[in-house]
Amino acid sequence: MSCDCGIIGLGVMGSNLALNIAEKGFRVAVFNRTYAKTVEFLGTTPLAGRSLFGFEHYQDFVAALTKPRKVLILVQAGAATDATIKSLREHLEPNDIIVDTGNAHFKDQGRRAAELEAGGLRFLGMGISGGEEGARKGPAFFPGGTLSVWEEVRPIVEAAAAKADDGRPCVTMNGKGGAGSCVKMFHNAGEYAILQIWAEVFDVMRHGGMSNNDIAAELQAWKDKGFLTSYMLDITIEVAKAKLHSGNPLSDVVRDKIGSKGTGLWSAQEALEVGVPAPSLNAAVIARQMSMFKDERTQNASCGIRVLPPVSWSFIGADKEAFLCKLYHATKLAIIASYAQMFQCLRELDKVYGFGIHLPSTIATFRAGCILKGFLLTPMTKAFEANPNLSNLLCAFPEALRDGLQAYRDMLSEVTAKTSVSLPVLSASLVYINTMFSSVLMSAQVVSLQRDVFGRHGFERLDEPGSHSHQWPELQ
């Protein structure tokens, strides 16, 4: 037999992607570390023996592939990926291609590419977004590496990818080296931030007196306006609707500890390393970290120190619609600000590492199939197509800023003054907007002088060129 590609790893993502590719007319060889999983998978589909073929041993799996062989790895990122590559390469020949689809750090993908290419093999790092449903019906793909390698696998990947409204497949070659994995990292960082924004909106609504049913209805009304239509809003509505058998909200009994797989943290670290301000992305990571300190939070809450305001707060009543309008504007701007930070990070990392990312093409791949998909991706794509040198994505949304910024400030002020609700990303996003639209930062002027006082670091002036230092009195 002769298979067009192979897939290693038949977990949720691997099995669904194998079905997706096989249904597009390709013959797919599949392999899993435990052969029982392969047998189980093939027993669930009529495609077995027709376009899906399973193998127990690496040598048989590799022998079934058309040369140059194309193998997609869908196992756990990190050590499991390296172990799989080590076992697989023993059976491959020069010019064969390994595609790693895991949530890998882009620097790790660069290392893998160098090691494999030194031995005559070829490598592509390619992130996937869309989860189980995306893998089955069409996800977004984020490849990066050597262009010639991409051209070899392109027909298969484009066929399996989600299609945007204009028919374009949600995949583009992002650039050299670890470009694809870098894009996937910051895709995930944006996902962290926007999921947290919707969670904070839910939190405000509940504390303001709305039931879960009320919240689901209000969010549906927001969706119907069109601007915020997105997959992440859809899943938040489903969370609000979810009930126990008793009829009580499921959200009330879920343990408040948020897991993560590392990509958000890596993105925050890389942003800090290259000096790009990304407070919303960072705050989303920190929010997850604080959630993990459940025991400490419980102990702190029982130590007798009251942090709750003395009077309970509710916006239910005559001011309900006015408050919800403010919250809607805040949500719009916080989401745009989070995307702005994500794209600024990609721009700077592209400069530092020479990936060759074409930002409009990359943004366009988010429009369907992936977690970030939503209405906003289309005007964002068009904004960078119209002006590749746009200083910041926020500048492409003047009406949203003009109509909503004061409402955003008013909402945050009221909630902060009258409740103990924590709004890390909504707060950080407003800080980002206020700061990045300030031509002069007085606090930065003061800190520059403080550094000169204690360390004689010098400072620059607005009215004169060069480095300056003031004659300060001795204070120690």
Side-chain angles (χ1 to χ4, degrees), residues 326 329-330 333 398-409:
K326 293 176 185 177
H329 282 297
L333 289 174
E399 291 184 5
L401 284 165
R402 184 184 63 243
D403 298 342
L405 190 51
Q406 190 56 50
Y408 190 171
R409 291 171 176 145

Side-chain angles (χ1 to χ4, degrees), residues 442-463:
M442 188 176 295
S443 60
Q445 292 174 312
V446 172
V447 173
S448 293
L449 292 177
Q450 289 170 333
R451 294 179 73 245
D452 192 50
V453 174
F454 74 76
R456 302 301 188 265
H457 293 292
F459 54 89
E460 295 181 357
R461 291 177 54 149
L462 297 173
D463 57 346

